[in-house]
Amino acid sequence: NIQNVIIELLNENIIRGKGLLAKAIIKAQMSSPNFTHVYAALLAVINTKLPDIVDLVIRRVILQFQKAYKRNNKIVCMATTKMLAHLINQKVLWDYLGLQLLLIMLEDPTEDSVEIACDFMIECGQILSELT
């Protein structure tokens, strides 16, 4: 199924509409976080051919996390950290970013930030422990 989607995507002019594609992937992931691993796999494949698009998605997800973290929006923080964790699992992102994310969340710990950090470690803790 994902193979068909990737073939169709690469046949389209996604370089011109990379902002729309990035927005659509982020919106889809936010609305159904249970399929985050599928979106991360899709981004990993797109990253092999068009890394600029994946870079845009990553920048937007990180900005979304920063805004949500400042506003104490736990739901958005959980979804964005899950996406970043799966991108680390797919080796699209460096493990260093995951460690920085943990540092931000645990620097001034609250109940919510510790819960988000725990969920983040559940998603990508094994990869982080192997690489660092």
Side-chain angles (χ1 to χ4, degrees), residues 9-10 14-15 45-55:
L9 263 177
L10 294 176
I14 58 176
I15 293 175
V45 173
I46 292 173
N47 191 43
T48 61
K49 301 281 185 190
L50 303 163
D52 291 345
I53 294 172
V54 179
D55 185 50

Side-chain angles (χ1 to χ4, degrees), residues 3-94:
Q3 185 177 11
N4 297 334
V5 171
I6 290 169
I7 291 170
E8 286 182 36
L9 263 177
L10 294 176
N11 286 333
E12 300 295 326
N13 188 3
I14 58 176
I15 293 175
R16 187 170 179 183
K18 66 182 177 181
L20 292 173
L21 178 64
K23 185 177 180 180
I25 290 174
I26 293 169
K27 187 176 180 181
Q29 187 270 333
M30 291 296 290
S31 65
S32 57
N34 292 337
F35 294 110
T36 302
H37 62 284
V38 176
Y39 299 119
L42 176 67
L43 288 172
V45 173
I46 292 173
N47 191 43
T48 61
K49 301 281 185 190
L50 303 163
D52 291 345
I53 294 172
V54 179
D55 185 50
L56 179 63
V57 172
I58 291 168
R59 288 176 190 272
R60 288 185 179 183
V61 170
I62 291 172
L63 283 172
Q64 195 172 26
F65 169 77
Q66 288 174 335
K67 289 177 185 176
Y69 189 74
K70 286 178 185 174
R71 294 178 183 154
N72 293 324
N73 188 340
K74 183 180 171 184
I75 296 169
V76 175
C77 278
M78 293 285 265
T80 54
T81 54
K82 190 170 190 174
M83 179 65 145
L84 293 171
H86 281 286
L87 289 173
I88 291 169
N89 288 342
Q90 292 285 343
K91 295 189 175 44
V92 175
L93 281 176
W94 286 359

Side-chain angles (χ1 to χ4, degrees), residues 78-130:
M78 293 285 265
T80 54
T81 54
K82 190 170 190 174
M83 179 65 145
L84 293 171
H86 281 286
L87 289 173
I88 291 169
N89 288 342
Q90 292 285 343
K91 295 189 175 44
V92 175
L93 281 176
W94 286 359
D95 58 332
Y96 184 69
L97 183 112
L99 297 173
Q100 284 182 327
L101 203 60
L102 284 171
L103 182 67
I104 289 169
M105 289 186 282
L106 298 176
E107 196 171 43
D108 186 25
T110 63
E111 188 175 324
D112 288 343
S113 69
V114 171
E115 184 180 347
I116 294 167
C118 288
D119 285 347
F120 181 75
M121 285 302 290
I122 289 169
E123 296 293 338
C124 73
Q126 184 177 359
I127 294 290
L128 290 178
S129 67
E130 288 173 3

